[in-house]
Amino acid sequence: MKRSKRLMLTAVVSTAIVALAGCTTGAPGEGEAENSDDVTIGFSVYDMQYEFFQSMEEGTRTAVEDAGYEYVLHDQKSDENEMVTGAQALLDEGVDVLIISPFKPDALGPVVAKAKELGVPVIINDIGGGGVPYDAIVISDNEDGGVQAADFIDAQIQANGVESKKVISITCEPSAVYAARRNEGFVKQIESLGYEVVTELSGNSKAEEAYKITKDALAKDPDIAGVFACNDPMAVAASNAITDAGLNPTTDIVTVGFNGDAEALTAIDGGTLSATIAQDPTAMGTLTVDLATQALDGEEIDFDNPEDREVFQPITLISAENVADFLK
């Protein structure tokens, strides 16, 4: 199975982050591939500066260590070229499975082609698969998250006694095709509840752009009742824009994000954000290693969406009612 017993870590691109994992020499336990001490998992992560991907990396690394595999981490640092060259370097050094959370899914072609040539399974974690023949992709149940956000916003608007039926939808960057399902689910559900989406624009996953979108939308039409943002930094920025306009981002305009980031939980606890749809990036990381083991053992993967080889990780709505359970 193993093409190179020990990785020459210095050959991984200079910006790679390397984490050492222990290995076991005894008989493999339940869920471990045979000869687990001869298996190396390479994880190329989107960007370790973000809390979401730090948690994803923690889940991946812990699962790798628990399985008795060796582990190498590469940080793409939100750079397309770094993603391609770094992931290819992992393959050159002989990883047995490549797990990747791609900064640019559309640029995955050369990486996956090389992996297939070498017989290395590829497990995608979040963001998108770029239409390449990966073995499996782990994603949050994004569409359901958007539906939950719409239902929550509707219920809160009614509870607040607000009569407006106008809402804003702020999307992530266009390349995040799976994240786009959040807003698609939201728009479909909120419109079915009788609301009008008066503004739907991409904030490119950036807080400053979401702030401007919200500020401009309120200047154009202050009769807004709800805002749904594709991620938490944008949702918190939208709530700041609402506050700066002299309105309350929980009672005047119900504001909901997506991810379950610490900043969102703090804002919910402090009454400056209505809710977030929480992903579980740690569990997503664990799940990719489970799938890697299945691929190594030649087991058939149980897909939630077989056509696109998707495995869903459940999501959770966090509001003022349950935020205390999630605060660290």
Side-chain angles (χ1 to χ4, degrees):
M1 180 187 297
K2 183 72 175 167
R3 294 183 302 281
S4 173
K5 172 61 182 172
R6 183 174 297 276
L7 295 180
M8 297 298 293
L9 301 180
T10 55
V12 181
V13 292
S14 61
T15 54
I17 297 176
V18 178
L20 299 178
C23 60
T24 59
T25 56
E30 184 178 354
E32 292 184 3
E34 186 177 357
N35 299 322
S36 62
D37 56 333
D38 288 335
V39 171
T40 296
I41 304 293
F43 179 34
S44 180
V45 65
Y46 186 107
D47 196 324
M48 282 293 287
Q49 74 171 312
Y50 297 115
E51 180 185 2
F52 180 85
F53 293 105
Q54 292 170 10
S55 297
M56 180 184 288
E57 191 278 330
E58 179 183 3
T60 306
R61 172 170 36 83
T62 299
V64 167
E65 292 172 350
D66 288 346
Y69 303 152
E70 295 182 35
Y71 178 62
V72 184
L73 173 67
H74 164 251
D75 187 356
Q76 300 165 28
K77 299 183 182 297
S78 297
D79 181 271
E80 179 180 342
N81 183 65
E82 183 64 40
M83 179 193 82
V84 174
T85 58
Q88 288 181 325
L90 292 176
L91 292 168
D92 286 337
E93 291 305 316
V95 299
D96 295 288
V97 179
L98 176 65
I99 299 173
I100 183 166
S101 183
F103 173 66
K104 289 292 183 183
D106 291 344
L108 278 172
V111 174
V112 176
K114 185 167 191 171
K116 293 301 179 183
E117 180 182 342
L118 295 171
V120 175
V122 177
I123 311 296
I124 308 291
N125 198 344
D126 204 28
I127 311 302
V132 298
Y134 49 78
D135 292 85
I137 182 166
V138 172
I139 55 175
S140 295
D141 197 345
N142 290 296
E143 183 175 359
D144 180 58
V147 171
Q148 289 192 38
D151 289 339
F152 176 84
I153 286 176
D154 172 52
Q156 289 301 114
I157 288 173
Q158 293 188 50
N160 293 340
V162 176
E163 296 182 359
S164 171
K165 290 283 190 176
K166 298 178 180 180
V167 297
I168 298 171
S169 174
I170 304 175
T171 65
C172 289
E173 71 273 19
S175 64
V177 293
Y178 291 102
R181 296 180 183 179
R182 304 169 187 176
N183 295 81
E184 291 168 1
F186 170 76
V187 169
K188 182 178 180 180
Q189 181 69 2
I190 204 74
E191 288 182 342
S192 75
L193 295 170
Y195 290 81
E196 178 187 3
V197 180
V198 294
T199 296
E200 183 169 30
L201 292 171
S202 172
N204 291 302
S205 298
K206 297 179 180 178
E208 59 271 22
E209 294 191 28
Y211 180 93
K212 186 177 186 304
I213 288 171
T214 307
K215 180 180 178 181
D216 291 348
L218 290 173
K220 181 180 178 181
D221 185 353
D223 190 27
I224 302 295
V227 176
F228 174 60
C230 182
N231 69 18
D232 282 336
M234 293 197 298
V236 171
S239 73
N240 290 337
I242 293 167
T243 300
D244 290 348
L247 299 169
N248 186 297
T250 61
T251 57
D252 294 321
I253 300 177
V254 181
T255 312
V256 177
F258 203 112
N259 274 350
D261 293 346
E263 66 174 324
L265 302 184
T266 300
I268 293 168
D269 189 50
T272 58
L273 186 68
S274 301
T276 182
I277 307 297
Q279 300 190 85
D280 191 344
T282 304
M284 293 171 75
T286 301
L287 181 53
T288 60
V289 179
D290 292 342
L291 295 174
T293 297
Q294 292 178 46
L296 287 170
D297 289 345
E299 298 178 5
E300 184 175 344
I301 295 174
D302 184 16
F303 297 110
D304 290 293
N305 177 11
E307 182 178 356
D308 295 319
R309 303 178 302 287
E310 297 173 354
V311 180
F312 294 157
Q313 177 67 36
I315 43 80
T316 304
L317 188 143
I318 301 176
S319 66
E321 292 185 358
N322 63 345
V323 68
D325 297 333
F326 295 88
L327 287 168
K328 296 180 180 180

